[in-house]
Amino acid sequence: MIPLRLRSTLTALAATGLVALSACGQSDSGASSPGDTQGGATRDGDSASAAPGGELTVPEDADPDTKNYYLTENAIAACMKKRGFSYTPVGITPNEDRSAGEGKDYGLAKKYREKYGFGIYSSIVYPNDPAVLLQEEESDDPNDSYRSSLPAAQQKKYDKALGRLRALRKTNGVIQRPPKDGCLAQAERKVYGPPKSKAEQDREIAEQQERDKQAGQALNGDPQLVSLAQAYADCLRKEGITVTTTQPTSIADMVKFQVADQIPPDGLPGKEEALAKLPGEIDLALKDLECGKEFRAAYWPKFDKNPYVGGQG
């Protein structure tokens, strides 16, 4: 999973066309004149996955997105070093807890739901538990500490060298792009290649949407999954649980969403109220897990062959 710290940046870059969808190994075009050298060299070993020289070691089993993230962090560090500043590449700490309740593994899901339910009210009862965090928390970024240690004038030079937008700004309705000569933009170009034209982006988006549509049709039209989803729904009704859909791509999240919909729109309840409601959520989560046991056992292997972004059952 890409850390929130960089994911927001990548989202903004993707919107402007700076991030391409395919990796392309190009040489760094950022051999610009060095900045003030007060920043020092890149620190060694600040990351748990750092290799000698301060670079991150890309995990052998990394998926393409994770690999590109690591390569981008290393490229930023190398670029900043050329400009006389320190930049510590920040690795990814995998957290499997949050996906345990989905039911891919029945035993893990049961253990999860016995304590957390669907992870809704338990996120208030256990506010610091990574298994139920409402959103991915940003870990302490050593680069923020390093920047804060610099004099004000150096901080401005650091920001210019890095070229990261600290807030999304629009000019005439167009999202502002990071400076092309900044290390962030140069690292993205090195890893992902040059920005794609709007026509290319539109074509790739359309192709992805078509693949997603076909995956959804394959799952929702699968006779075995349709039959198991009906049995799943019948079991839920016997437990007194309202069934609003029997669609294979939606049914496994249906009860969870019903619980979530009970949260008032103006904010989460306090801990005392959450404690009182958590047992009911756990009961529903366990009933849902048992009713959908056979369905999930058949669904997830087929989902892996037809990954559906529109709604993961």
Side-chain angles (χ1 to χ4, degrees), residues 210-290:
E210 180 60 27
R211 286 194 295 270
D212 191 53
K213 178 182 177 181
Q214 292 178 3
Q217 291 174 342
L219 294 170
N220 290 323
D222 184 285
Q224 182 192 23
L225 294 182
V226 170
S227 176
L228 289 173
Q230 291 290 346
Y232 184 178
D234 290 342
C235 178
L236 291 174
R237 292 189 184 100
K238 290 179 182 179
E239 294 290 349
I241 299 172
T242 301
V243 174
T244 58
T245 180
T246 58
Q247 194 174 51
T249 55
S250 302
I251 190 171
D253 280 331
M254 180 190 64
V255 181
K256 176 175 67 177
F257 288 155
Q258 288 178 7
V259 175
D261 286 344
Q262 296 174 11
I263 303 292
D266 56 347
L268 294 170
K271 187 171 183 178
E272 185 175 344
E273 182 180 350
L275 274 168
K277 292 188 174 182
L278 180 57
E281 178 185 342
I282 291 173
D283 180 62
L284 285 173
L286 290 173
K287 288 177 179 177
D288 174 70
L289 181 66
E290 292 300 324

Side-chain angles (χ1 to χ4, degrees), residues 58-82:
V58 181
E60 293 183 1
D61 59 347
D63 58 68
D65 287 339
T66 301
K67 179 181 179 180
N68 288 338
Y69 166 77
Y70 275 73
L71 293 174
T72 301
E73 285 286 291
N74 287 339
I76 294 172
C79 178
M80 290 296 282
K81 185 176 181 179
K82 289 180 182 179

Side-chain angles (χ1 to χ4, degrees), residues 1-10 13 28 42-43 46-51 53-59 64-82 85-93 139-144 158 162 164 183-192:
M1 182 177 291
I2 302 299
L4 185 64
R5 179 182 62 82
L6 183 64
R7 192 191 317 147
S8 59
T9 302
L10 293 181
L13 293 174
D28 190 347
T42 304
R43 289 166 291 185
D46 281 351
S47 169
S49 56
E55 286 193 349
L56 293 173
T57 300
V58 181
D65 287 339
T66 301
K67 179 181 179 180
N68 288 338
Y69 166 77
Y70 275 73
L71 293 174
T72 301
E73 285 286 291
N74 287 339
I76 294 172
C79 178
M80 290 296 282
K81 185 176 181 179
K82 289 180 182 179
F85 289 102
S86 171
Y87 183 89
T88 303
V90 181
I92 299 172
T93 302
S139 58
D140 292 336
D141 186 345
N143 298 297
D144 289 339
Y158 177 91
L162 185 59
R164 172 172 289 150
C183 285
L184 174 60
Q186 291 186 12
E188 295 292 347
R189 287 198 297 272
K190 179 179 180 180
V191 175
Y192 293 93

